Amino acid sequence: MAQYIPPLNFGMVEEDLYRSGQPNELNFPFLEQLELKKIIFLAPDDPSQQFLNFVEDQEIDLEHLGMDSNQNPWQPISEDIVLSALRLILDPSNYPLAVMCNLGQYQSR
């Protein structure tokens, strides 16, 4: 019997729109069940190689918006990044969609 473990701070925002922290190998079977088309990754750091491999294997479009390179990591994300993320979120062709950051508690909330 398969066990499905959601990523850290996973939540359903509405039908086919999810938020969470960056997943690890234990979470991949759970994410497969969501049949995601796109993931918006808002973390300033690069995604892990395991996560990148999973996204490629599942043919999920990954948008790593990150942060402005000259921005202090303790500052809120910029208006440009917020607007870019909103454009993607408001486009129904991107669904099912997940918004993720490192821990799923700051940028993806």
Side-chain angles (χ1 to χ4, degrees):
M1 179 181 198
Q3 189 172 20
Y4 300 110
I5 302 167
L8 184 65
N9 294 315
F10 176 84
M12 181 177 184
V13 178
E14 64 176 39
E15 185 176 350
D16 287 337
L17 178 59
Y18 310 95
R19 57 168 296 281
S20 75
Q22 180 175 198
N24 62 46
E25 289 179 17
L26 295 174
N27 310 130
F28 295 161
F30 176 87
L31 292 176
E32 284 180 38
Q33 300 302 306
L34 301 179
E35 299 180 359
L36 297 170
K37 282 188 182 177
K38 187 177 292 278
I39 294 173
I40 300 171
F41 193 66
L42 296 174
D45 303 323
D46 290 330
S48 72
Q49 189 58 52
Q50 294 170 330
F51 181 44
L52 291 172
N53 293 343
F54 169 77
V55 167
E56 183 178 337
D57 291 344
Q58 297 298 310
E59 299 180 356
I60 299 170
D61 184 21
L62 176 65
E63 295 283 342
H64 182 200
L65 299 182
M67 289 179 28
D68 297 332
S69 59
N70 58 358
Q71 184 177 349
N72 178 335
W74 298 106
Q75 296 293 321
I77 59 176
S78 73
E79 183 177 339
D80 288 339
I81 291 174
V82 171
L83 292 173
S84 296
L86 285 174
R87 279 188 212 97
L88 295 168
I89 292 168
L90 292 172
D91 182 351
S93 70
N94 291 325
Y95 284 61
L97 168 73
V99 180
M100 299 178 177
C101 65
N102 283 337
L103 298 175
Q105 61 187 16
Y106 300 113
Q107 289 89 355
S108 67
R109 269 192 146 166

